[in-house]
Amino acid sequence: MPYYYVGRLEKEKGVDKLLEALLLLKNSKVKCLIVGDFLNKTKYGKYWDNIRKMLIKLQGRVFLTGYVPNSDLVNFYAISNFTVIPSQWEEAFGLVALEAMKMKKAVIASDSGGLLEVLSPQGSIRCKKG
């Protein structure tokens, strides 16, 4: 059961919240595919250290692709069961949510900014930020 996250690995995007949730799930069959990279690791030194510690604990359950061109994202959506958007800031629009819905993938997202307007209640779960 692969989760899918696409975006920058920065504090505002909430990747730490996604990894914390995975740590709570004891089911080792749950996998997470993270598509994206940090733009500036030095800006997020302590945050990045925390991410690395969680990734070590989740070894074999989380897979990082690094940067992927937009034209190749469809391949990653295709192999996922659902998309997670754990944003901790006010998302301006929520393009990832639209892409996931276009691929008929369920979405789990924070109740953040434009995501509230983009997400369909029939195919999404909205969670409180933080």
Side-chain angles (χ1 to χ4, degrees):
M1 174 189 293
Y3 285 59
Y4 177 66
Y5 169 87
V6 60
R8 295 183 317 275
L9 278 72
E10 295 182 354
K11 189 173 185 175
E12 297 83 6
K13 293 292 190 171
V15 176
D16 59 327
K17 304 302 181 195
L18 171 59
L19 296 177
E20 288 169 5
L22 280 171
L23 284 169
L24 293 174
L25 293 173
K26 301 300 180 194
N27 184 346
S28 63
K29 292 181 181 180
V30 176
K31 309 291 185 204
C32 180
L33 178 62
I34 296 178
V35 179
D37 201 359
F38 275 94
L39 294 181
N40 183 353
K41 287 182 185 172
T42 57
K43 178 181 173 185
Y44 294 100
K46 189 174 181 179
Y47 180 76
W48 173 237
D49 289 341
N50 187 38
I51 295 288
R52 280 193 3 236
K53 288 175 187 173
M54 287 190 279
L55 288 172
I56 290 167
K57 291 178 184 176
L58 291 164
Q59 190 171 0
R61 293 180 59 199
V62 177
F63 304 91
L64 302 169
T65 66
Y67 172 78
V68 170
N70 285 341
S71 59
D72 293 341
L73 290 178
V74 67
N75 299 318
F76 292 97
Y77 280 109
I79 63 171
S80 67
N81 290 77
F82 53 92
T83 299
V84 180
I85 308 169
S87 292
Q88 298 300 297
W89 68 319
E90 294 302 310
E91 282 287 344
F93 181 66
L95 184 58
V96 170
L98 282 179
E99 291 170 343
M101 290 187 299
K102 181 175 178 10
M103 295 293 294
K104 301 195 183 322
K105 302 296 176 177
V107 177
I108 299 173
S110 58
D111 58 351
S112 169
L115 287 172
L116 295 173
E117 296 173 20
V118 170
L119 289 171
S120 162
Q122 291 80 23
S124 66
I125 298 172
R126 300 174 195 171
C127 306
K128 296 281 181 201
K129 291 184 289 187

